[in-house]
């Protein structure tokens, strides 16, 4: 057992209001420099939709992530032969059109325009050519189903849905959608790290944060092609790759990452998970339908004395074990099993998990009449407006079992709380629903509290980062080139 600690995250999608505050917080802190205009380390997508960069989930086009060939795990975009053939031009990289043409405005014109009959306007100016331009795309271009026929209908997660289910999503005035905020998943099996020919990307030994060493990056951009989530970006000004650093300078001083801290819907949770790194390759090689359960099995019980001993023997500080025992992510992922990794079929083993949305239907509109009466308090999850198959494509590698489990438990908790607080649902029915959803009253109360009444301290259990201890995990990334690596490119310079 090779016990490692990993900072990991949960986003509760039913609580996201799509306000983009998280994206702006990140943008203002990290990507306001030259060359980073188009970078959104945090972005919020509307689902169904094609996201940012456009159609990033289409791996036939982008070839990201891992695949199993003859029982062996291998990168789709990169190999020894491909790294030579593709070194000056990678055929699977997104282009500027897949992102968008960054622009600014001619603000000065607002002050210097000559007097005239019209109000002066600030025209958009291309940040690439410096010429006036027409804005044709942006990072949230398909927000709230704007342009649905172009964007939403091309969502890859609609694959396998019947025509009736598709129509259910797109019927005019019966539209349904939810928000999908995305950051780097700081994966356990990061394709970006494995693909880098220069060994510039690395996974920090003590907390699993995936970073790019700016001094080693040689602009090959193999990481961008390999990351199936397209969460590495290329800075055209510095000639280096950049990505989400999970605000490690904030974490090292005990503060939550900026996007977590600023989240208006309080959808974000952060905590430590202990896991068995010896099982990464075997887990990532399993058939798609087993991946979600197998990744969950890799997460170890932080109360188990054997796990604690192995963790401490491996250099994990006792205070980190203590943080793992209080981790909200452990509760959501391992104990309650209601948080699921996105697109685990890419086999990078993401460490950002999502609680799938129930998206309850509160009203519908037919023939111009809005009807908010309903026979049941909440719809049956099988007939939810977001089809189960769609959520399964996003969170279950196409398999519905784990998604259904998460939704049933959430519904039972809501039903139970309704019985407690309003009393129009009888408690015997609520308790039966809890039992059927593999939940009891104590767990329902705990889910309710961490979902609805949580404070900063409940949501963010940040361990002391122990950079001084991390020396024990130092490894040379060049020796581990092509693997998913743990360690640093240079010894840490300071302690706590
Ligand atoms: S492969 Fe995973 S760790 Fe690497 S950039 Fe993509 S999401 Fe982040
Ligand atoms: S700040 Fe929170 S609620 Fe707002 S879009 Fe971001 S994740 Fe959603």
């Amino acid at each position: 057992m090779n016990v490692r600690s990993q900072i990991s995250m949960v986003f509760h999608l039913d609580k996201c209001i799509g306000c983009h505050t998280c994206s702006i917080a990140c943008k203002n802190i990290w990507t306001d420099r030259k060359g980073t205009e188009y970078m959104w380390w945090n972005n919020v997508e509307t689902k169904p939709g094609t996201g940012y960069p456009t159609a990033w989930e289409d791996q036939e086009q982008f070839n990201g992530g891992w695949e199993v060939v003859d029982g062996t795990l291998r990168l789709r975009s990169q190999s020894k032969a491909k790294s030579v053939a593709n070194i000056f031009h990678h055929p699977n990289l997104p282009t500027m059109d897949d992102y968008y043409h960054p622009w600014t405005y001619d603000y000065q014109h607002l002050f210097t325009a000559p007097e005239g009959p019209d109000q002066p306007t600030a025209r958009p100016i291309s940040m690439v050519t410096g010429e006036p331009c027409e804005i044709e795309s942006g990072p949230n271009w398909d927000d709230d189903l704007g342009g649905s026929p172009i964007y939403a209908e091309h969502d890859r997660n609609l694959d396998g849905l019947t025509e009736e289910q598709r129509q259910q999503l797109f019927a005019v005035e019966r539209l349904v959608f939810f928000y999908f905020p995305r950051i780097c998943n700081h994966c356990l099996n990061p394709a970006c790290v494995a693909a880098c020919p220069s060994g510039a990307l690395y996974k920090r030994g003590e907390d699993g944060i995936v970073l790019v060493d700016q001094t080693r990056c040689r602009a090959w951009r193999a990481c961008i092609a390999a990351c199936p989530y397209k969460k590495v970006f290329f800075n055209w000004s510095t000639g280096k790759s950049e990505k989400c650093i999970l605000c490690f300078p904030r974490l090292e001083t005990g503060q939550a990452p900026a996007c977590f801290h600023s989240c208006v819907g309080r959808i974000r949770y952060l905590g430590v998970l202990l896991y068995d790194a010896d099982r990464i390759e075997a887990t990532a090689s399993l058939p798609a339908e087993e991946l979600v359960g197998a990744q969950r099995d890799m997460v170890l019980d932080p109360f188990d004395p054997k796990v604690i001993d192995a963790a401490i023997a491996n250099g994990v500080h006792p205070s980190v074990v203590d943080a793992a025992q209080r981790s909200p992510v452990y509760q959501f992922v391992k104990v309650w099993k209601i948080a699921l990794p996105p697109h685990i079929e890419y086999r990078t083993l993401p460490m950002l998990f999502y609680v799938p949305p129930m998206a309850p239907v509160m009203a519908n509109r037919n023939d111009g009449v809005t009807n908010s009466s309903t026979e049941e308090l909440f719809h049956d999850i099988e007939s939810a407006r977001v089809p189960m198959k769609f959520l399964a494509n996003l969170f279950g590698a196409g398999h519905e079992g784990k998604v259904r489990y998460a939704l049933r438990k959430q519904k039972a908790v809501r039903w139970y709380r309704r019985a407690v607080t309003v009393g129009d649902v009888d408690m015997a029915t609520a308790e039966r629903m809890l039992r059927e959803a593999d939940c009891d009253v104590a767990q329902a109360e705990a889910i309710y509290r961490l979902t609805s009444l949580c404070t900063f301290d409940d949501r963010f259990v940040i361990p002391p980062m122990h950079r001084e201890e991390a020396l024990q995990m130092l490894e040379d990334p060049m020796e581990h080139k092509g693997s998913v690596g743990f360690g640093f490119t240079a010894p840490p310079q300071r302690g706590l």
Side-chain angles (χ1 to χ4, degrees), residues 27 33-34 90 119 170 218 220 240 253 294 372 386 415 417 433 438 440 463 469 480:
K27 185 88 189 144
R33 291 159 288 119
K34 197 171 165 190
H90 203 295
Q119 192 81 336
F170 295 121
R218 294 286 174 271
W220 303 125
K240 312 282 181 183
T253 49
S372 59
V386 181
W415 212 274
R417 284 302 307 174
M433 285 177 67
D438 188 27
D440 58 26
E469 302 281 331
H480 294 265

Side-chain angles (χ1 to χ4, degrees), residues 48 89 119 142 167 279 308 315 323 325 357 364 401-402 488 494-495:
H89 169 70
Q119 192 81 336
D142 51 348
Q167 289 315 317
R279 285 153 69 180
I308 295 173
Q325 292 174 345
N364 59 42
K402 298 281 189 291
F488 304 95
R494 59 195 168 84

Side-chain angles (χ1 to χ4, degrees), residues 65-66 182-193 201 203 208-211 223 226-233 243-244 348-351:
W66 302 83
R182 301 203 301 122
I183 64 172
C184 165
N185 302 301
H186 297 278
C187 307
L188 289 187
N189 188 35
C192 56
V193 175
L201 282 103
K203 188 168 178 63
I209 295 175
V210 174
L211 299 173
C223 51
C227 171
Y229 304 92
K230 291 291 164 275
K231 278 296 171 191
V232 196
F233 301 86
K243 64 181 288 300
C244 159
T348 62
L349 305 181
M351 277 313 217

Side-chain angles (χ1 to χ4, degrees), residues 15-22 44 181 262-268:
K15 303 208 294 170
C16 180
I17 56 174
C19 62
H20 299 267
T21 311
C22 47
V44 184
S262 64
C263 175
V264 174
R266 303 185 306 167
I267 81 158
R268 295 169 179 237

Side-chain angles (χ1 to χ4, degrees), residues 347-359:
R347 300 176 187 277
T348 62
L349 305 181
M351 277 313 217
L352 161 57
F353 302 85
Y354 292 87
V355 178
M358 290 185 62

